[in-house]
Amino acid sequence: MTGEELWQAVLAQIQLSISPANFATWFKNTGIASVKGGEVYVSVPNSFTKEWLEKKYDKAILKILHSLDDAIKEVKYIITRPSALKIDKRKGEQSWLAQDQLEFDELKVDRETNLNPRYTFENFVVGPFNELPHAASLAVSKNPGFVYNPLFIYGGVGLGKTHLLQAVGNEVVKNVSSKKVKYVSAEKFISGVISSIKNQKMEAFKTQYHQVDVLVLDDVQFLAGKEKTQEEFFHIFNSLYEKNRQIVISSDRSPKTIPALAERLRSRFEGGMLADISSPDFETRVAILKAKAAERQLVLVDEIFEYIASNIQKNIREMEGALNRLVAYQKLQNQPPDAQVAKRLLKNVVLAPTRIATPNKIISAVANFYDLKEKDLVEASRKREIVWPRQIAMFLLRNELKCSFPFIGRRFNGKDHTTAIYAYEKIVREYQQNEKLGEEIELIKRLVYET
Ligand code: ADP
Ligand code: MG
């Protein structure tokens, strides 16, 4: 086995035993740098990952490697930047990028447009639940700026909004390569406004938006309550609209139900085409699963598709997650799972308890993420490395569960409620300014809700 195959086998096996969030956090950008004698050198992107793998996964990794090649006796972790790995790869040495295997999306994203080529109309399955938004998107992509403007697509999580928006962008670029398309999530847009204000680069920020032919703004509900950002967006919107440039927007709810949205923006949104995506029916769920499996060369009996489709009903992303597990199995065993094995592999996906947060789950996720003991997190320690995670935990208790500040204080060894307020407000401020923190909190939330 080459180092590449070895690591692929390790990843496939590990993926089965840990949550997708943990897997993505700790195994992204990892690979085998070299195999020398009985020693395997695993490349990792940073010291955080290195420590974590050494502490938590070293035994499991060694065990899998040893079972594949009993000459392997030891695993060492080295920090390597992905670019360095790539160069080695070109030289034909036994180095590779885990990204190639895991197909992490962000790698393929176009730097100019922010579009990910994997989202197209060709691989978008149409059923009664998304027929209207699909037809409207297609029409817009054929004739941007002149049919429905803006096009506003809304619907629940994991139902294909981002896919459709990106498909519009990709289709426009494909048809007329000179058209400038820009995809941006509302969160990115917000942080762009904030940092342009801070660095006095507002004009440059606006200019990049005034130049586009098609502006795609994803998850606009995040603009709720962000007055300054709403104002900037309003001006960009008007300027584009007047020039017949296309605007495509998504949201998890209708314009009417987005709280704290300026009336003038709401009426702009409602002035175009509103199209909602509801939940896919059983037949369409099966059709989507079949299409995704075919894409990934996974051959399954119908019973398995039906099993997944009847157990996961509200979220296409979760159905894909279930398929990923089966793909991992197929890679490892060189054969697809039969119905019985598949059901066993999917047990925790399908029987996942309702995804609700509890104070204990939040505290344990924060401790887990920062690699601390829960006890240290909630007790009186004033150690610097504990203070920050504790403030994050307090923030999440408030934000996710709306716990009262006195309750939060009590939960942390009887601290005063003002401490909880201070922590909450501090993280809120940081959150708005620091993109990294946003990502960190997102990962912790996934630990809370997905494990
Ligand atoms: P949302 O933005 O609404 O939360 P996404 O667009 O990210 O959802 O979709 C979640 C996943 O499901 C993506 O991988 C997407 O490709 C897939 N998906 C959603 N709808 C469809 C569809 N109709 N056909 C094929 N794949 C879909
Ligand atoms: Mg989305």
Side-chain angles (χ1 to χ4, degrees):
M1 266 196 188
T2 62
E4 185 167 335
E5 285 163 348
L6 278 175
W7 194 240
Q8 195 167 25
V10 170
L11 292 178
Q13 196 133 326
I14 297 254
Q15 193 173 18
L16 293 176
S17 61
I18 66 178
S19 76
N22 262 330
F23 185 72
T25 311
W26 305 117
F27 290 90
K28 181 159 124 181
N29 296 348
T30 60
I32 285 182
S34 64
V35 185
K36 285 196 205 102
E39 286 180 357
V40 172
Y41 287 82
V42 172
S43 60
V44 297
N46 52 50
S47 58
F48 197 25
T49 307
K50 178 172 186 285
E51 278 172 41
W52 192 278
L53 291 187
E54 281 170 350
K55 264 189 220 139
K56 300 248 160 145
Y57 297 108
D58 185 53
K59 271 211 193 96
I61 292 171
L62 180 60
K63 198 170 150 203
I64 299 167
L65 285 170
H66 185 74
S67 73
L68 297 164
D69 176 351
D70 57 14
I72 296 171
K73 297 276 187 314
E74 202 177 345
V75 183
K76 294 192 167 152
Y77 302 85
I78 50 172
I79 301 167
T80 325
R81 269 187 294 279
S83 54
L85 266 174
K86 232 181 220 154
I87 292 162
D88 282 0
K89 195 182 178 189
R90 259 184 256 127
K91 281 196 228 143
E93 286 171 15
Q94 210 183 53
S95 307
W96 60 291
L97 273 171
Q99 287 100 315
D100 297 351
Q101 311 299 312
L102 296 174
E103 294 174 9
F104 274 98
D105 292 346
E106 59 261 42
L107 279 174
K108 301 188 207 136
V109 170
D110 183 289
R111 302 260 293 293
E112 287 273 306
T113 62
N114 285 329
L115 290 171
N116 184 331
R118 85 170 258 249
Y119 297 116
T120 63
F121 283 115
E122 285 75 36
N123 63 12
F124 189 81
V125 178
V126 185
F129 77 109
N130 61 11
E131 216 172 338
L132 174 66
H134 171 262
S137 300
L138 201 57
V140 158
S141 72
K142 301 279 180 244
N143 202 355
F146 292 95
V147 266
Y148 308 118
N149 207 10
L151 171 60
F152 189 104
I153 292 174
Y154 65 98
V157 182
L159 292 178
K161 300 184 296 295
T162 296
H163 190 137
L164 261 186
L165 261 57
Q166 294 243 1
V168 172
N170 281 320
E171 184 71 20
V172 169
V173 174
K174 192 175 90 185
N175 293 339
V176 191
S177 62
S178 60
K179 283 240 190 278
K180 279 190 88 150
V181 175
K182 193 172 178 68
Y183 168 91
V184 64
S185 68
E187 283 160 305
K188 270 255 156 61
F189 187 83
I190 295 165
S191 60
V193 170
I194 293 169
S195 68
S196 313
I197 294 172
K198 211 166 73 190
N199 307 324
Q200 300 175 327
K201 296 243 170 71
M202 207 55 216
E203 283 315 308
F205 177 80
K206 286 188 211 164
T207 309
Q208 38 157 339
Y209 285 97
H210 285 309
Q211 286 165 351
V212 302
D213 296 297
V214 178
L215 176 60
V216 182
L217 183 68
D218 206 352
D219 286 321
V220 77
Q221 74 274 4
F222 289 121
L223 293 192
K226 306 271 189 307
E227 281 168 35
K228 179 67 190 161
T229 307
Q230 288 184 19
E231 190 185 322
E232 293 305 339
F233 182 66
F234 181 74
H235 293 305
I236 291 169
F237 182 106
N238 281 343
S239 142
L240 293 177
Y241 184 83
E242 279 159 18
K243 289 184 279 188
N244 284 326
R245 308 283 173 80
Q246 180 70 44
I247 299 145
V248 187
I249 298 171
S250 87
S251 164
D252 69 353
R253 64 201 84 176
S254 71
K256 256 197 189 48
T257 49
I258 301 175
L261 181 69
E263 201 40 55
R264 55 185 188 173
L265 261 185
R266 194 188 312 277
S267 67
R268 287 290 184 289
F269 293 166
E270 286 175 340
M273 164 73 135
L274 296 181
D276 75 314
I277 305 187
S278 56
S279 297
D281 55 281
F282 180 77
E283 281 72 25
T284 316
R285 293 202 295 280
V286 171
I288 291 173
L289 283 166
K290 288 191 168 168
K292 302 262 171 204
E295 231 174 64
R296 317 197 53 179
Q297 283 148 18
L298 178 68
V299 184
L300 300 173
V301 294
D302 278 355
E303 186 186 347
I304 303 179
F305 290 122
E306 285 162 16
Y307 179 74
I308 301 174
S310 23
N311 284 287
I312 304 176
Q313 305 186 346
K314 295 235 157 66
N315 190 324
I316 296 167
R317 190 177 298 125
E318 280 181 17
M319 297 203 306
E320 280 190 309
L323 277 184
N324 284 341
R325 296 201 170 207
L326 305 185
V327 170
Y329 177 92
Q330 174 169 276
K331 276 192 182 155
L332 191 66
Q333 305 288 338
N334 286 321
Q335 61 178 34
D338 61 25
Q340 204 186 353
V341 170
K343 283 182 191 171
R344 189 166 50 76
L345 290 170
L346 297 178
K347 214 163 68 197
N348 7 6
V349 183
V350 161
L351 298 176
T354 39
R355 313 233 144 135
I356 47 167
T358 62
N360 283 344
K361 272 173 94 177
I362 288 177
I363 288 166
S364 125
V366 171
N368 193 346
F369 186 81
Y370 293 102
D371 205 14
L372 303 166
K373 292 206 188 71
E374 276 178 44
K375 196 168 135 275
D376 291 339
L377 193 62
V378 297
E379 283 185 356
S381 162
R382 284 176 185 274
K383 280 202 212 123
R384 262 237 321 273
E385 66 266 28
I386 309 253
V387 172
W388 174 256
R390 186 183 290 143
Q391 289 173 333
I392 298 271
M394 290 180 163
F395 164 82
L396 285 170
L397 286 179
R398 177 73 183 175
N399 215 48
E400 301 304 301
L401 295 174
K402 311 282 172 276
C403 295
S404 76
F405 290 119
F407 172 90
I408 296 173
R410 279 198 301 277
R411 198 69 190 64
F412 289 84
N413 206 33
K415 286 204 172 359
D416 193 69
H417 72 281
T418 52
T419 309
I421 295 175
Y422 174 83
Y424 174 73
E425 287 178 348
K426 178 173 164 203
I427 302 296
V428 168
R429 264 196 318 275
E430 279 273 324
Y431 189 71
Q432 287 166 351
Q433 286 162 12
N434 175 347
E435 213 174 303
K436 263 237 125 55
L437 176 61
E439 288 166 15
E440 210 166 292
I441 288 180
E442 224 21 69
L443 284 169
I444 298 173
K445 283 195 345 204
R446 283 169 63 182
L447 285 178
V448 172
Y449 289 103
E450 293 178 20
T451 54

